[in-house]
Amino acid sequence: MKLLTYSTNNKPLRLGILVDENTIVDPQEAYIELLNQSGQQRAKEIATALLPANPTEFIANGVRALKTAKEAVSYALENPAQSSAIYKKENVRIGAPVLKPNKIICVGLNYKNHILEMKRDFPVHPVIFAKFATAISGPNDTFLLNSNLTKKLDYEAELAFVIGKEGKDIPYEDALDYVYGYTVANDITARDMQKRTIQWLQGKTLDKSLPLGPVLVTKDEIPDPHCLDISLTVNDEVRQKSNTEQLLFNVNHLVEFLSGIVTLEPGDIVLTGTPGGVGEAQNKFLQHGDRVKVEIAGIGAIETTIMEVTES
């Protein structure tokens, strides 16, 4: 199943299911229709509780919510003339598939060729840092570049995974049981801000510096996350091209390692690191008008346009 968030008429973003390239079904709306059709008196209350519009809450409801969502989506598609839960993609705004997670954990220096190009030693343990929820942006949003803050804006194509259930001290062999699904990320980074102190945070969590999407693909559709082609282009020029088999610390290892430090919770996002080819290594930083596209096989592509602004 492919989860996303969508908005119509400037309303708040809410959970939708992408059923084909151009069709979205709202599972909560569809389930209300299904329950009403069967004569259920508390249809809206039941649907809101079981299939929340907030994606993090939906994820927390686990397998039951997924099963019910599939049932609701099937009902809407079988009765398109009577359903108001079906939307065309071109008529809505698409947001990030997860909006306000409790944690966004990022992994640095996790592809061998990126470690070498940055002239760093191979880490013994995963290098982790954080971004804040205000960094999240949609799969086709614009990033506003403030040159008073940074003159070295960089890109990082990354596979991200989302936690599906709470876990602590998770064994390596059980790690994927705690993963809900996978999405595409771009860890937009202000390199000059990142390097001016020992801690990376200030250069890593600028507002809207984490484009995500276009969907969150549930793990049943990606049984092996360690064989996915990943690429990034700037204005159609290939800058990064690799495969997740090159991860130094794979998804299982990261779940095991991170859950030994913190309790992982539904909706938490983990960025797995970026391949070689970043702008810093080539002295090619993002400029006004640049189009940055990140694509991962089996998930899709996101594209961010860089627009220069200055403080008045």
Side-chain angles (χ1 to χ4, degrees):
M1 185 174 283
K2 296 178 174 63
L3 282 60
L4 49 67
T5 62
Y6 77 98
S7 172
T8 59
N9 301 319
N10 295 317
K11 293 179 181 178
L13 289 163
R14 55 185 288 123
L15 181 74
I17 307 296
L18 185 69
V19 296
D20 61 37
E21 188 173 318
N22 195 39
T23 306
I24 297 166
V25 176
D26 186 306
Q28 185 187 110
E29 292 180 359
Y31 197 49
I32 291 172
E33 293 173 349
L34 174 58
L35 293 176
N36 282 333
Q37 186 271 339
S38 64
Q40 174 58 246
Q41 297 299 310
R42 298 167 49 242
K44 185 173 182 180
E45 181 182 348
I46 294 170
T48 301
L50 187 53
L51 303 179
N54 180 299
T56 301
E57 295 175 6
F58 178 88
I59 290 168
N61 280 353
V63 175
R64 185 183 178 193
L66 271 176
K67 182 179 178 181
T68 306
K70 290 178 181 178
E71 181 183 356
V73 168
S74 295
Y75 175 80
L77 295 176
E78 290 167 4
N79 301 276
Q82 290 79 40
S83 179
S84 60
I86 302 174
Y87 299 85
K88 291 301 180 184
K89 192 175 178 182
E90 68 263 22
N91 296 330
V92 302
R93 178 171 73 91
I94 303 298
V98 180
L99 300 173
K100 293 183 179 180
N102 288 329
K103 293 185 285 297
I104 303 172
I105 304 172
C106 309
V107 182
L109 303 174
N110 202 24
Y111 280 79
K112 297 172 185 177
N113 58 356
H114 178 52
I115 297 168
L116 293 173
E117 74 177 356
M118 301 303 282
K119 298 179 173 58
R120 301 288 293 272
D121 294 331
F122 279 68
V124 177
H125 305 289
V127 177
I128 62 171
F129 58 94
K131 292 172 89 86
F132 299 136
T134 48
I136 291 176
S137 65
N140 298 295
D141 288 357
T142 296
F143 179 84
L144 300 179
L145 167 60
N146 185 339
S147 58
N148 292 327
L149 278 178
T150 177
K151 292 179 171 56
K152 291 187 175 183
L153 192 71
D154 207 348
Y155 51 81
E156 292 190 359
E158 308 209 14
L159 171 71
F161 64 87
V162 176
I163 297 299
K165 60 182 179 180
E166 185 174 303
K168 185 79 169 75
D169 297 322
I170 301 166
Y172 181 96
E173 59 271 16
D174 297 335
L176 295 187
D177 292 341
Y178 290 80
V179 173
Y180 191 87
Y182 304 92
T183 192
V184 180
N186 183 359
D187 177 19
I188 296 175
T189 303
R191 295 294 185 193
D192 39 7
M193 296 177 68
Q194 177 189 3
K195 291 185 173 184
R196 64 188 183 187
T197 63
I198 295 174
Q199 298 292 335
W200 295 357
L201 182 65
Q202 61 188 291
K204 285 289 191 176
T205 196
L206 295 174
D207 286 350
K208 307 301 180 185
S209 64
L210 181 55
L212 289 174
V215 292
L216 173 62
V217 181
T218 52
K219 65 181 178 183
D220 58 300
E221 297 192 15
I222 302 180
D224 182 3
H226 306 124
C227 60
L228 305 176
D229 289 333
I230 179 171
S231 64
L232 180 145
T233 62
V234 178
N235 304 325
D236 300 322
E237 175 193 355
V238 177
R239 297 280 185 90
Q240 294 184 285
K241 189 175 180 63
S242 188
N243 188 284
T244 55
E245 67 182 0
Q246 298 298 319
L247 286 167
L248 186 62
F249 303 107
N250 67 19
V251 174
N252 296 66
H253 190 126
L254 294 176
V255 171
E256 179 185 40
F257 176 79
L258 294 172
S259 69
I261 300 171
V262 298
T263 298
L264 298 177
E265 301 169 294
D268 286 351
I269 300 171
V270 180
L271 274 64
T272 59
T274 196
V278 299
E280 170 80 354
Q282 307 172 67
N283 197 30
K284 290 182 176 181
F285 296 105
L286 297 173
Q287 307 294 329
H288 172 77
D290 282 347
R291 294 175 291 103
V292 187
K293 182 178 180 181
V294 183
E295 186 168 7
I296 298 179
I299 303 175
I302 61 177
E303 183 169 292
T304 304
T305 301
I306 309 300
M307 297 295 291
E308 174 98 28
V309 295
T310 56
E311 293 182 338
S312 56

